[in-house]
Amino acid sequence: MTYLYAFLVGGAICAIGQLILDFTNLTPGHMLVILTVAGAIAGGLDLYEPLLKFAGAGALVPVSGFGASIARGALAEAKRMGILGLFTGVFEYTGMGIAVAVFFGTLVALIANPKS
Amino acid sequence: MPAKKLGRSTVKFASPPIIVGTGTVVGPVEGKGPLASDFDVVLPDHAYGERTPEKSETKILEQAAKIAIERAKIEKSMVDYYMAGDLLNQIISAGYSARQLSIPYFGLYGACSTCAMSLALAGMVIDGGFADYVLVACSSHYQTAERQYRYPIELNIQRKTTSQYTVTGAGAAVLASSGTGPKLTHATVGKVVDLGLKDVHDMGGAMAPAAADTLLTHFADTGRGPKDYDLILTGDLASFGSEMLKELVRDNGVELGANYRDCGLMLFDTKSQHVGAGGSGCACSAVVTFGHVLKEMEKGTYKNVLLVATGALMSPLSCQQGESIPCVAHAVVIEA
Amino acid sequence: MASEKAKKQVSNLPHMTQASQEEKRRQLAYKELVQKRKPRPRYLRNVLVAFVVGGAIAILGQVVLEFFKSRGLDLNAASAPTLAVMTLVGVVATGLGIYDELGEFAGAGAAVPITGFANTIVAAAMDFKREGWVLGMGAKMFIIAGPVIVYATLAGVAVAAIKFIASP
């Protein structure tokens, strides 16, 4: 059942992104920032947690989940070790993804060239 | 008024320069389009054996120039001036190609209007008696333009309905004071027109007012109308820009009929090839005019052609700073 | 061709000269015309494709998430490796030259998932390496992903701080 919810929620977040692209003059960069910041705000207010529990990867995989993960990391660490945790926790959940992108991205850039 | 000038901004050449040789090179996508058989060289891929797309653009520009000189049956040393331009910062493709050609060089920037701009200037230089042979050339490249004006090439981006596809290619022509071939009879130099549009995904819409302005000026200066030409050609307005142009000239009582076409739409099969609203770039009007139209004139399909090449003069920097898009259009008349 | 709306918008600009008012009127009228005539995107098709493709990528993410959960990680602990694996998927698809095609087809369906975020990093890396490994690739790798991380961090820290101070 979680798979269905993941599909519906993940699809819905992407559909919102598409509506932003088609109905405004904003670039994809702007659209990604809007969704991520929305996710970060929801995550910082502990509002993204229920959506994650409900839809799993459907809420985690879109960039809004990335933003929420940043805020959730900051909040969780702050609760654990005080105000400094806000800064140490920022990349708690997302740091691994960024490191993977940088490391394997560089590896790919070493061997592959832009095609089309 | 100067002896060879008509009206506000048109010149009529006293002894019209002759186009004695042309060279065209196009990329792989253009090579699958409806005009493919008209071009001298079709590239197998965008890289063309070079390490960077910028080097590949320089290479095709140089190649087109060399073919044009060869076709003109002259020596490189006989060419008085090389006039060239492209879309990149500091027009590097033109500059680097001139380094190889070692012909006295004028670098031109008119964005996608460069083709008509260089023809107009070459005509003035030859008719003025300052040269016997002038080589004009311009190029554009999908990958170099994409990198400079838009996004990294492999980025996931969905085209807008009015987005255009930058033509990979280069077109060159040798103009001479005497010889046989199609003649350049008039040139109308355009003003910069800016109606305040800012959407970088809609170049056609932004450039249409400049094209309309130059077209109407040309008709007013020469006393001609659309019916006096077998073919009226715009450079790269694509589907939406052409519609807007027709609308704008209609407001001024000029009707563009079946003899009006756009190079960006002729070069591709816009239905089956994924090129958005049509082609764009300096090479768009150059390869269609030098490759296709001149061949058709030779066959007798067209007697006289009016080419209006449009260019958008913004940069990514000016757009990010919120400036609108200034545009220009230059027109030249070619007669068989 | 200046429409009523354009005339009205201009008439309250008394500081402008007659000529520049006329120019402004022409600009507004043309902008209006372009707005009216510009071909619309295929809204329904685009949204449906974005929904289905984005949903499909989420299902793939769910498979990965379930795998890590089956290894005994809770939702929070499993989310980091899931994001990492999905990022890797985006990296590989970009290297193979297929992610930009998916983007052209699916729009936000390809851009919004974390795979698309990875694509922005790798595409920039591949593209700018020709200007050198340091000032090209190194400097420009985050040309699109950078702002996302910057604003997510700003918003995340600020909101988490407020929440933390309000209810520590």
Side-chain angles (χ1 to χ4, degrees):
Chain A
M1 209 56 195
T2 327
Y3 286 97
L4 178 66
Y5 296 144
F7 176 77
L8 293 177
V9 171
I13 295 172
C14 292
I16 293 171
Q18 187 66 41
L19 292 175
I20 294 176
L21 287 182
D22 280 354
F23 280 96
T24 68
N25 268 334
L26 297 174
T27 68
H30 287 94
M31 181 270 289
L32 291 178
V33 167
I34 290 171
L35 286 183
T36 316
V37 167
I41 292 171
L45 297 175
D46 263 345
L47 299 174
Y48 211 79
E49 203 81 23
L51 193 63
L52 270 174
K53 292 221 167 73
F54 171 69
L60 181 68
V61 167
V63 283
S64 53
F66 179 85
S69 297
I70 282 186
R72 281 168 52 234
L75 191 59
E77 279 294 290
K79 280 178 179 160
R80 209 168 63 84
M81 57 176 288
I83 196 89
L84 284 180
L86 284 174
F87 299 98
T88 55
V90 167
F91 295 121
E92 177 90 18
Y93 305 130
T94 52
M96 193 170 166
I98 295 174
V100 163
V102 169
F103 188 83
F104 290 98
T106 305
L107 218 58
V108 164
L110 276 172
I111 52 175
N113 285 312
K115 287 170 194 71
S116 48
Chain B
M1 203 194 298
K4 295 175 188 174
K5 222 176 148 199
L6 299 176
R8 173 71 185 87
S9 34
T10 302
V11 292
K12 181 173 190 293
F13 298 117
S15 41
I18 323 282
I19 301 174
V20 290
T22 60
T24 48
V25 180
V26 298
V29 181
E30 295 72 22
K32 290 192 183 75
L35 305 183
S37 60
D38 287 329
F39 304 122
D40 298 319
V41 179
V42 176
L43 304 188
D45 54 38
H46 281 113
Y48 203 25
E50 294 294 331
R51 191 172 56 84
T52 69
E54 287 76 14
K55 279 173 88 82
S56 140
E57 183 174 339
T58 301
K59 187 171 169 179
I60 58 176
L61 181 56
E62 210 183 304
Q63 190 173 8
K66 283 181 177 157
I67 295 172
I69 294 175
E70 204 176 292
R71 292 280 161 75
K73 298 194 181 67
I74 55 170
E75 290 300 315
K76 210 168 69 174
S77 56
M78 294 161 69
V79 180
D80 296 293
Y81 302 109
Y82 173 45
M83 297 183 176
D86 59 271
L87 288 176
L88 303 186
N89 290 339
Q90 288 77 40
I91 48 171
I92 50 173
S93 310
Y96 282 106
S97 68
R99 177 179 70 179
Q100 304 301 333
L101 291 167
S102 73
I103 300 169
Y105 162 69
F106 287 112
L108 308 178
Y109 188 79
C112 311
S113 72
T114 306
C115 175
M117 182 193 200
S118 62
L119 284 172
L121 282 171
M124 291 182 199
V125 168
I126 290 175
D127 193 34
F130 299 103
D132 281 330
Y133 293 101
V134 176
L135 172 63
V136 298
C138 55
S139 66
S140 55
H141 190 292
Y142 170 71
Q143 292 195 340
T144 60
E146 203 67 13
R147 299 184 70 198
Q148 176 174 310
Y149 288 96
R150 298 180 193 99
Y151 301 105
I153 293 149
E154 291 292 333
L155 192 70
N156 70 86
I157 289 292
Q158 193 169 42
R159 277 199 189 86
K160 302 273 183 190
T161 51
T162 49
S163 298
Q164 292 172 235
Y165 178 91
T166 306
V167 170
T168 299
V174 174
L175 276 76
S177 53
S178 61
T180 52
K183 294 187 290 288
L184 196 69
T185 58
H186 298 75
T188 303
V189 181
K191 299 197 294 279
V192 172
V193 176
D194 184 346
L195 286 191
L197 295 198
K198 293 182 178 180
D199 184 0
V200 288
H201 298 290
D202 176 23
M203 284 299 139
M207 296 190 297
D213 185 75
T214 300
L215 201 57
L216 294 169
T217 307
H218 176 83
F219 289 149
D221 288 351
T222 56
R224 298 181 178 185
K227 292 207 168 59
D228 294 315
Y229 293 101
D230 294 336
L231 179 67
I232 297 173
L233 205 55
T234 49
D236 56 353
L237 291 180
S239 51
F240 180 59
S242 319
E243 284 307 307
M244 287 293 98
L245 172 64
K246 283 187 204 165
E247 184 86 28
L248 286 169
V249 296
R250 191 175 296 138
D251 283 340
N252 288 276
V254 174
E255 194 72 35
L256 290 176
N259 62 345
Y260 165 63
R261 298 187 73 182
D262 182 72
C263 297
L265 294 172
M266 293 164 74
L267 190 51
F268 299 105
D269 180 357
T270 46
K271 284 216 169 59
S272 69
Q273 294 184 293
H274 297 289
V275 293
S280 68
C282 298
C284 189
S285 54
V287 299
V288 171
T289 307
F290 298 153
H292 174 70
V293 174
L294 291 187
K295 282 199 180 78
E296 291 297 317
M297 291 181 86
E298 217 169 287
K299 284 185 214 159
T301 318
Y302 309 120
K303 288 267 175 305
N304 59 355
V305 174
L306 175 63
L307 168 70
V308 185
T310 48
L313 303 177
M314 85 302 175
S315 85
L317 185 100
S318 68
C319 287
Q320 284 181 350
Q321 293 178 345
E323 298 291 329
S324 55
I325 303 168
C327 299
V328 72
H330 302 294
V332 289
V333 178
I334 304 173
E335 281 179 16
Chain C
M1 67 179 186
S3 69
E4 284 310 307
K5 193 174 148 207
K7 275 181 197 150
K8 218 176 287 167
Q9 271 174 298
V10 174
S11 59
N12 50 20
L13 300 170
H15 58 283
M16 293 172 84
T17 64
Q18 200 80 34
S20 55
Q21 274 196 25
E22 183 53 42
E23 181 61 24
K24 194 85 200 155
R25 209 168 285 148
R26 265 184 71 208
Q27 288 194 359
L28 286 168
Y30 186 62
K31 261 187 211 168
E32 235 173 78
L33 181 72
V34 166
Q35 273 317 321
K36 206 164 65 192
R37 293 293 178 78
K38 194 180 276 189
R40 301 275 173 259
R42 288 181 289 166
Y43 295 117
L44 194 62
R45 179 260 173 217
N46 286 357
V47 138
L48 281 178
V49 173
F51 183 88
V52 172
V53 171
I57 296 174
I59 288 182
L60 182 65
Q62 188 64 31
V63 173
V64 179
L65 187 65
E66 292 296 335
F67 170 78
F68 285 114
K69 283 211 281 198
S70 75
R71 289 302 184 85
L73 298 178
D74 69 358
L75 181 65
N76 267 342
S79 64
T82 302
L83 287 177
V85 169
M86 292 308 287
T87 303
L88 193 59
V89 170
V91 169
V92 173
T94 307
L96 295 174
I98 49 181
Y99 211 86
D100 64 329
E101 316 272 336
L102 186 68
E104 174 67 56
F105 172 70
V112 170
I114 200 76
T115 44
F117 181 74
N119 166 263
T120 64
I121 295 171
V122 187
M126 284 163 76
D127 216 77
F128 291 110
K129 69 173 174 181
R130 285 163 300 201
E131 281 77 62
W133 295 106
V134 175
L135 298 182
M137 192 193 83
K140 291 185 175 162
M141 202 173 203
F142 284 91
I143 197 163
I144 297 139
V148 172
I149 297 177
V150 166
Y151 287 104
T153 305
L154 284 174
V157 171
V159 177
I162 292 165
K163 174 84 179 168
F164 175 69
I165 292 162
S167 57

